[in-house]
Amino acid sequence: MWEYTEKVREHFFNPRNAGAIEGANGVGDVGSIKCGDALRLMLKVEPATDIILEASFQTFGCGSAIASSSALTEIIKGKTLDDALKVTNQDIADYLDGLPPEKMHCSVMGREALQAAIANYRGEAWSDDHEEGALICKCFAIDAVMIEDVVRANGLISVEQVTNYTKAGGSCASCHEGIEEILAKVCAEKPSHVNQAAPACATQGPSAKSPATAATKTGLTNYQRIRKVEDTLEAIRPQLQRDHGDLELIEVQGKKIYINLVGACAGCMMEHATMGGIQAKLCEALGELVTVLPARELAKELARAG
Amino acid sequence: MEPTHSPIYLDNNATTQVDPAVVEAMLPFFTEHFGNPSSIHAFGAQVGKALKTARAQVQALLGAEHDSEIIFTSCGTESDSTAILSALKAQPERRVVITTAVEHPAILTLCEWLEKEDYVVHRLPVDKKGRIDLDQYKSLLAPNVAIVSAMWANNETGTLFPVDEMAEMAHEAGVMFHTDAVQAVGKIPIDLKNTKIDMLSLSGHKLHAPKGVGVLYLRRGCRFRPLFRGGHQERGRRAGTENSAGIVALGKASELAMANIGHENTVVKRLRDKLERGILAKVPHAFATGDLLYRLPNTSNIAFEYIEGEGILLLLNKLGIAASSGSACTSGSLEPSHVMRAMGIPYTAAHGTIRFSLSRYTTEAEIDRVIAAVPPIAAQLRKLSPYWSGNAPVKNPEQAFAPAYA
Ligand SMILES: Cc1ncc(COP(=O)(O)O)c(C=O)c1O
Ligand code: FES
């Protein structure tokens, strides 16, 4: 059985704000019975102030889905819509003193229901923007989509490299088979447009960690290229800000892009993973292979050069 | 709130309580009879004799012709792996395995791996009651098949496969037949000498022996390759110093299981039926899964529509009642149990399946308490469900609940 915190158990056994509200003016439905998780969030918002007067939920799901829903309604009651939108899935998990890694999607679902309900109140269309894959590495809560993106963007060929980029596989080793399958799958694909510079997987040596030395014709001027990097990073920032983090572009030196992760992201367990994700996005946007490095590496580089 | 009554254990297909008589039989093998059965001296010889007795006790329970057909292992999973890998190693020219879609992961996960190693695996589908089609099975039996592995009884629903008949058919086609009888042994009568079954797996902890001991039955004359190589224990078929206390315990448990097989199929069966009828009479939109006419006497698997199994288990647990679920959430995946999916149980029900599995220790008073406990729990969770309104599911659940994405 899962190790649920006292808080999770308490909210499961005595859920707050369960059921429908009369006169709800914002309703968000996410999930489906097929996946075994479905959540409807109902809000009663005061139009003059945009304050959430009442919030309630109906949930089909496991203990932590019900507890997450209950926690969410408690957190957002009395907030303005804008403040409510700042609530992250991590806030929901924190409110419950944590969730098991396999159950984090329950808190993600809560945040999505909130976005959906607010969009519904405001008469906007809302669509899910995150893709969630099967959980591969339980030790570090890293899913297949993340690993696949990082493998593809960086032309990774070994479990060890995946561990270096994402931490996945760095602890109990039980996910190594799963990671190897992803590596094999990506390797079997035709070399993608992003990845033309990377040599064939099978022959690539272990030094593939700093992949692209060959220049790629991107057809961009230096200025255009840096603008593109900036635009891409700008688009990523809101996501990081939701998790109380942020980033800053420090320098672009050829294939090396130095950034500063700040806030909750810096130095945390997920720094590698975040860097990997950013790198994947940049590779895609630029149509070439680049390496994203923390700004402290630039300092080291400069020290070596000087 | 703490449970107000003593706990009720209805999860005997997961594991069982060790019978006190079994504990008593095994304890001396930790203390005075600690010897290694391979040793010449008296310390070892006594243990050797005890193992011989245990082997005869298991032989009797299985109705095996020879005691040398019993190989002690560490668990059901080891027996399953040994059987299948042995068949493949001993017949390298045969690269096909036939199994079913509803096997335990001890078989299915191994088969997935075999596929990666370029073996071909046929998984027989089942109908909505969990039954296979014998004609389809027959059509797959061919000279390139190394082994058929089909479970005797399903761990989730208790549904029995006609393994006697399947073994006959395999034998006629010249194909080895293995059955994972981990759930069947001790619950239904078994008489291997009158069947064509070549190999059978059992696990001690499912029949009131401790965890860490199992058996692979290997018919005399069946080709074999060991999984572990080393010393000459178990005639070189399973190297490694014997778990003597565990083996003695399994012997005693086998003897007790034989004595209780009548009880299982009368008293336990009646209590199971009472439980199932009692719950279904009071909870609307619930049904029993599996082949209700041909199943283990101790198992009832009930699907509660529009609720999720984990919630039911947590609330039952609060009342001191232990059961288990085929829901996705209890296993950490997003899909409900492969057994429910194979039977085509709709998603609205598959996530809410609960398995109650009884044992010879289950009492009538316990069953009465569970019958009283379940209906309010189902009602409570349905009140929270977006697919439920008032006393019935919402009309057109797929439309009434319209997520922005699915
Ligand atoms: C049908 C079946 N096969 C195999 C096993 C595995 O047995 P063990 O836990 O002894 O390895 C189980 C246990 O749940 C089972 O139910
Ligand atoms: S699951 Fe990946 S290292 Fe443990």
Side-chain angles (χ1 to χ4, degrees):
Chain A
M1 193 56 90
W2 307 107
E3 283 183 29
Y4 284 141
T5 63
E6 267 314 304
K7 261 306 220 339
V8 173
R9 290 169 173 276
E10 210 268 316
H11 274 263
F12 168 72
F13 287 127
N14 305 297
R16 325 290 198 272
N17 315 309
I21 345 180
E22 284 290 315
N25 51 6
V27 178
D29 288 353
V30 293
S32 81
I33 203 160
K34 188 162 178 282
C35 317
D37 274 321
L39 163 57
R40 166 174 295 162
L41 180 69
M42 294 185 167
L43 303 178
K44 193 161 165 185
V45 182
E46 187 174 61
T49 56
D50 261 8
I51 286 177
I52 299 174
L53 298 176
E54 280 181 67
S56 79
F57 74 92
Q58 289 175 298
T59 294
F60 169 90
C62 57
S64 55
I66 289 171
S68 298
S69 310
S70 166
L72 171 68
T73 53
E74 284 292 281
I75 295 172
I76 60 173
K77 266 197 306 188
K79 282 195 160 52
T80 63
L81 294 182
D82 287 337
D83 282 343
L85 277 175
K86 291 190 191 125
V87 173
T88 65
N89 73 298
Q90 193 61 48
D91 291 336
I92 300 172
D94 289 348
Y95 186 89
L96 294 168
D97 297 334
L99 288 170
E102 293 87 345
K103 298 287 188 167
M104 280 305 284
H105 68 270
C106 295
S107 63
V108 173
M109 196 169 70
R111 186 177 53 79
E112 287 171 351
L114 176 63
Q115 291 176 312
I118 292 178
N120 171 269
Y121 168 76
R122 290 176 170 166
E124 298 163 357
W126 177 80
S127 68
D128 173 36
D129 59 354
H130 96 286
E131 198 182 344
E132 197 185 352
L135 188 63
I136 299 287
C137 180
K138 292 189 178 169
C139 292
F140 294 110
I142 301 194
D143 69 11
V145 173
M146 161 85 87
I147 296 175
E148 210 176 305
D149 285 352
V150 174
V151 166
R152 191 167 290 130
N154 301 289
L156 306 188
I157 56 163
S158 71
V159 173
E160 198 191 347
Q161 290 173 333
V162 172
T163 305
N164 288 337
Y165 275 74
T166 67
K167 291 227 165 180
S171 181
C172 73
S174 70
C175 55
H176 285 192
E177 266 188 6
I179 296 175
E180 276 166 16
E181 271 164 38
I182 294 177
L183 285 165
K185 181 181 143 201
V186 174
C187 184
E189 288 167 2
K190 294 262 170 292
S192 73
H193 61 286
V194 177
N195 220 346
Q196 272 157 6
C201 317
T203 56
Q204 194 166 355
S207 64
K209 224 163 126 185
S210 49
T213 37
T216 319
K217 291 271 171 289
T218 58
L220 297 178
T221 68
N222 236 347
Y223 174 72
Q224 286 171 325
R225 188 161 168 273
I226 290 175
R227 276 297 296 275
K228 197 138 212 162
V229 171
E230 277 179 339
D231 289 350
T232 312
L233 293 179
E234 245 357 87
I236 295 172
R237 286 182 61 203
Q239 256 174 326
L240 295 176
Q241 285 161 352
R242 275 209 298 263
D243 293 336
H244 313 305
D246 206 344
L247 66 75
E248 200 183 352
L249 176 63
I250 302 295
E251 174 68 301
V252 179
Q253 281 186 355
K255 297 274 169 200
K256 290 185 182 161
I257 297 174
Y258 294 91
I259 62 173
N260 223 348
L261 280 182
V262 291
C265 297
C268 81
M269 181 179 95
M270 292 296 285
E271 188 188 276
H272 267 298
T274 311
M275 287 281 189
I278 294 170
Q279 177 163 301
K281 289 239 160 64
L282 284 172
C283 290
E284 203 175 319
L286 296 173
E288 63 175 314
L289 275 175
V290 293
T291 309
V292 171
L293 294 163
R296 58 177 181 271
E297 295 295 323
L298 180 64
K300 281 190 214 159
E301 199 113 311
L302 293 176
R304 266 199 296 272
Chain B
M1 228 180 35
E2 286 305 304
T4 44
H5 299 273
S6 52
I8 301 176
Y9 186 74
L10 294 186
D11 200 8
N12 288 282
N13 286 10
T15 196
T16 58
Q17 181 194 341
V18 181
D19 191 298
V22 170
V23 177
E24 199 186 326
M26 77 188 287
L27 284 181
F29 291 84
F30 292 110
T31 51
E32 61 210 89
H33 305 315
F34 62 83
N36 187 325
S38 302
S39 309
I40 291 292
H41 47 66
F43 290 91
Q46 276 172 335
V47 181
K49 252 174 68 186
L51 297 193
K52 200 164 154 45
T53 307
R55 207 178 298 279
Q57 287 163 320
V58 175
Q59 178 196 356
L61 177 65
L62 296 181
E65 195 157 3
H66 309 280
D67 70 350
S68 59
E69 293 173 330
I70 307 301
I71 304 173
F72 288 109
T73 65
S74 69
C75 60
T77 304
E78 183 192 329
S79 302
D80 285 345
S81 267
T82 306
I84 292 187
L85 295 172
S86 159
L88 294 172
K89 262 273 176 286
Q91 313 165 92
E93 70 291 352
R94 295 176 177 236
R95 300 191 61 84
V96 178
V97 175
I98 300 176
T99 185
T100 79
V102 294
E103 297 295 309
H104 188 271
I107 297 289
L108 286 181
T109 311
L110 176 67
C111 284
E112 279 166 30
W113 177 76
L114 288 173
E115 283 178 318
K116 285 180 208 153
E117 300 284 303
D118 288 333
Y119 290 93
V120 174
V121 177
H122 296 301
R123 295 173 185 76
L124 289 165
V126 295
D127 67 10
K128 60 183 194 301
K129 291 191 166 168
R131 299 171 300 197
I132 59 160
D133 175 352
L134 285 179
D135 290 333
Q136 185 179 10
Y137 166 58
K138 190 166 189 174
S139 72
L140 290 173
L141 289 168
N144 62 357
V145 178
I147 188 167
V148 176
S149 179
M151 67 203 318
W152 200 312
N154 186 273
N155 47 305
E156 288 189 31
T157 63
T159 301
L160 302 171
F161 279 146
V163 286
D164 282 8
E165 207 176 334
M166 292 174 77
E168 293 279 350
M169 289 160 72
H171 183 75
E172 249 154 59
V175 174
M176 273 187 206
F177 188 89
H178 166 254
T179 182
D180 175 342
V182 166
Q183 292 294 346
V185 174
K187 295 175 191 151
I188 54 171
I190 288 178
D191 189 26
L192 289 175
K193 60 184 168 301
N194 288 314
T195 73
K196 292 281 189 280
I197 293 169
D198 295 301
M199 292 188 264
L200 171 147
S201 304
L202 73 87
S203 180
H205 70 102
K206 309 281 184 181
L207 58 141
H208 305 288
K211 293 147 190 73
V213 62
V215 161
L216 176 65
Y217 160 86
L218 176 70
R219 175 178 297 281
R220 179 176 284 187
C222 180
R223 294 172 69 188
F224 184 77
R225 295 286 183 279
L227 185 65
F228 292 178
R229 290 162 197 273
H232 54 88
Q233 295 89 353
E234 302 299 295
R235 300 171 183 240
R237 295 171 300 180
R238 202 284 188 179
T241 299
E242 298 86 344
N243 169 12
S244 36
I247 292 171
V248 167
L250 179 52
K252 184 68 189 172
S254 299
E255 186 189 306
L256 295 173
M258 262 188 102
N260 279 291
I261 208 105
H263 180 88
E264 284 282 340
N265 289 279
T266 50
V267 180
V268 175
K269 184 167 189 285
R270 186 181 61 76
L271 290 177
R272 188 273 315 269
D273 291 341
K274 177 176 179 182
L275 174 72
E276 190 168 280
R277 277 195 221 113
I279 291 175
L280 294 181
K282 287 201 241 157
V283 182
H285 295 276
F287 58 90
T289 71
D291 187 350
L292 305 189
L293 298 177
Y294 192 54
R295 62 175 164 165
L296 290 175
N298 80 318
T299 309
S300 171
N301 187 298
I302 299 181
F304 296 92
E305 292 183 273
Y306 309 107
I307 33 183
E308 213 282 331
E310 191 192 283
I312 304 175
L313 292 184
L314 290 170
L315 290 170
L316 282 173
N317 185 48
K318 207 173 163 210
L319 299 175
I321 300 169
S324 70
S325 164
S327 99
C329 275
T330 50
S331 62
S333 75
L334 289 177
E335 290 282 345
S337 116
H338 67 284
V339 178
M340 296 303 142
R341 273 182 292 145
M343 293 194 296
I345 303 289
Y347 280 104
T348 46
H351 287 287
T353 53
I354 299 291
R355 176 185 71 189
F356 299 98
S357 47
L358 288 62
S359 79
R360 58 179 184 253
Y361 299 121
T362 308
T363 65
E364 183 110 29
E366 291 177 332
I367 292 303
D368 289 339
R369 259 177 67 202
V370 179
I371 293 174
V374 169
I377 289 178
Q380 178 181 345
L381 288 171
R382 279 176 177 163
K383 230 165 59 195
L384 292 180
S385 171
Y387 298 103
W388 194 264
S389 130
N391 302 315
V394 292
K395 289 200 186 61
N396 257 334
E398 299 297 336
Q399 278 161 33
F401 183 81
Y405 79 102

